[in-house]
DNA sequence: ATCAGTTACGCTTGGCGTAATGATC
DNA sequence: GATCATTACGCCAAGCGTAACTGAT
């Protein structure tokens, strides 16, 4: 199970084609075919069905492992090469959209990225620091995927609110339980609000089905949609201005600063 | 960063010697030397100091990654080979010492193993099921290392108690906060009580220093030591019989059943 | 002088590309 | 017959072992 073979395998699975995977990786079709054949011989099973090229159940299981393995391999390499090179004089900070906070952002060069890319970016060393947001119980840590051992520091916790349209029957409640909203109409806006997947894992249910999907990162636009009644969204309280919004019980919106431990970054510039 | 190279690297680091690592892996010393040289050339740093053979800081960092990577590689292979073979007619269940429960154990073939080995055993397929215990907030999951995606089910939660000697000033308290005991004298008994490392991570402090270390798995013996005043220990309440024991606030002893998801094991024999 | 890691060197094998073959729509 | 995966084959390089070498104790 050479990493090269795994890399080709995930490329094949993603592309759905040997030849496309080959050109993407800079191999010939032949080499890709041999890679897959080698993996299949090694594991004693077929991993992809051909025509169409689709992973078998065994292949799907392998895919679940291959991603994290390759990610961690990259993370290890990145960490060590960083230790060798002189520390950069400019920090690159990755932000998930809702982790934005004016006072922290002022001093550094930042890039706004999807949540997962912030985590992998820090792990792989393309980012020096990451600020990721998510939901958690008060003063509990976020449930981040541990692609690599990371140092995390909570930097903010704000109330988590659900945005209702003006005329919604629950809009005047003082607080509300997340589980009570599992069957409501939701907008899935993974880039500009809390992704519904996080609600499911936080509540342990599989409700929170999306009536609508919003790919943009423009929060005011999303707020208008929610206010107009197209569906519910969850946001940290400071980002909701004047609209009817009810705090969620026992959950907060939390922002964490993540970094590779003891990689030279010990203190954080505060202005 | 071929897995073979990583494997020899961890062997070298563990053995503290190229030649011992070589004989352990079935290579010649020369091959091991070439492996290390290849890794060092690839990463652009020296990874071990020679004479004596000790990892450099960069090597230590690599070691932190290499273990999990190799473990997950093995886990992936084991999972897939298990999918291919017919399911075994006998389940092998791994138990961490304090996860023992008579009603579950009756029907299966079990092996009692240290906590970490239960997790890795399930991941690598040497165990079909694992029962691991630990401490957590009530109805919260255990904080298990995620070497592979695992299905976990909570199977028991009992009060967590600290065992005091008869004359201890706190022995008559109704309940006690774990943090208040950080500076007490503890017995570290990782095989037969809650390891102190778990207390530190649960409380977020670095207290709970061991006055004594007990390697055995014989709980009654450990209880006698605690009763005699050699130090405090933490146990699930049902295992403490008649001795002065005070429940810990906001923490419980939890047992979880872990398995590889949808690997054919959907229900558990109940008799 | 001995022990332990490194380097040199030859051999084998693995792995890639080119090109021919085979299968599927 | 066009497209895409597989097989055949030749070539190069990676990787192992044997053995000579180097440095440290």
């Amino acid at each position: 199970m050479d990493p090269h073979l795994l890399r080709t395998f995930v490329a094949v699975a993603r592309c759905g084609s040997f030849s496309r995977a080959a050109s993407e990786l800079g191999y010939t079709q032949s080499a890709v075919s041999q890679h897959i054949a080698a993996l299949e011989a090694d594991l004693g099973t077929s991993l992809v069905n051909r025509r169409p090229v689709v992973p078998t159940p065994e292949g799907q299981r392998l895919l679940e492992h291959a991603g994290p393995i390759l990610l961690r391999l990259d993370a290890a390499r990145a960490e060590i090469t960083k230790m060798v090179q002189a520390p950069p004089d400019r920090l690159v900070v990755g932000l998930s959209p809702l982790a934005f906070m004016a006072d922290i952002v002022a001093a550094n060069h930042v890039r706004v990225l999807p949540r997962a890319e912030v985590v992998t970016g820090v792990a792989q060393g393309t980012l020096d620091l990451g600020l990721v947001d998510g939901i958690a119980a008060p003063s509990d840590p976020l449930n981040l995927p541990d692609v690599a051992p990371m140092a995390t520091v909570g930097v903010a916790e704000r109330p988590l609110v659900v945005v209702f349209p003006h005329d919604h029957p629950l809009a005047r409640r003082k607080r509300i339980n997340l589980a009570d909203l599992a069957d409501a109409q939701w907008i899935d806006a993974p880039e500009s609000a809390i992704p519904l997947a996080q609600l499911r894992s936080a509540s342990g249910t599989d409700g929170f089905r999306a009536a609508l999907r919003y790919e943009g990162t423009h929060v005011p636009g999303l707020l208008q949609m929610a206010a107009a009644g197209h569906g519910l969204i969850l946001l940290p309280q400071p980002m909701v201005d004047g609209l009817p919004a009810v705090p969620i019980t026992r959950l907060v919106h939390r922002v964490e600063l993540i970094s590779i431990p003891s990689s030279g970054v010990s203190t954080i510039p505060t202005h």
Side-chain angles (χ1 to χ4, degrees), chain A:
Chain A
M1 295 211 307
D2 194 291
H4 292 210
L5 304 186
L6 291 180
R7 222 173 282 264
T8 15
F9 177 61
V10 307
V12 165
R14 181 164 33 79
C15 297
S17 151
F18 282 45
S19 34
R20 265 195 294 280
S23 69
E24 178 176 309
L25 297 170
Y27 286 123
T28 60
Q29 299 129 337
S30 166
V32 170
S33 184
Q34 292 176 49
H35 280 186
I36 302 299
L39 262 183
E40 291 183 329
D42 181 19
L43 295 173
T45 334
S46 74
L47 296 170
V48 289
N49 293 322
R50 325 293 150 100
R51 252 179 262 278
V53 172
V54 164
T56 63
E58 290 82 8
Q60 290 176 19
R61 191 58 65 88
L62 181 60
L63 278 176
E64 292 169 16
H65 287 278
I69 288 171
L70 295 174
L71 187 59
R72 183 134 196 186
L73 236 15
D74 290 346
R77 151 162 285 119
E79 256 185 61
I80 292 172
T81 53
K82 273 221 170 172
M83 290 178 76
V84 178
Q85 296 166 10
D89 49 13
R90 259 191 193 167
L91 295 181
V92 181
V93 181
L95 286 180
S96 61
L98 297 183
F100 184 90
M101 280 173 295
D103 49 349
I104 288 186
V105 169
N108 293 295
H109 291 252
V110 302
R111 293 167 54 191
V112 178
L113 301 164
R115 273 173 198 78
E117 287 182 31
V118 174
V119 178
T120 60
V122 172
Q124 296 183 338
T126 52
L127 301 173
D128 298 298
L129 292 170
L131 282 168
V132 284
D133 72 294
I135 57 182
S139 78
D140 265 18
L142 292 180
N143 230 340
L144 299 173
D146 70 337
V147 295
M150 280 204 235
T152 68
V153 192
V155 293
E157 264 185 23
R158 305 91 157 258
L160 183 70
V161 298
V162 54
V163 179
F164 287 116
H166 301 75
D167 56 349
H168 195 284
L170 298 174
R172 308 212 166 278
R173 292 274 293 265
K174 275 274 172 286
R175 31 191 37 237
I176 196 165
N177 206 315
L178 183 59
D180 298 340
L181 297 170
D183 297 326
Q185 295 259 320
W186 287 85
I187 304 175
D188 193 15
E191 299 302 317
S192 46
I194 311 290
L196 297 186
Q198 281 196 39
L199 308 198
R200 288 184 210 111
S201 75
S203 65
T205 68
D206 62 346
F208 304 100
R209 287 298 146 192
L212 195 63
R213 192 174 163 84
Y214 178 80
E215 303 275 358
T217 57
H218 188 61
V219 177
L222 178 66
L223 277 172
Q224 285 191 10
M225 294 179 64
H230 291 108
L232 304 183
I233 54 171
L234 229 47
L235 284 174
Q237 209 234 320
M239 305 200 69
V240 179
D241 232 12
L243 288 167
V246 179
I248 300 292
T249 57
R250 285 190 298 279
L251 284 178
V252 294
H253 179 260
R254 182 179 168 94
V255 178
E256 281 182 6
L257 178 70
I258 62 176
S259 64
I260 292 174
S262 70
S263 162
V265 180
S266 54
T267 57
I268 298 137
T270 50
H271 58 273

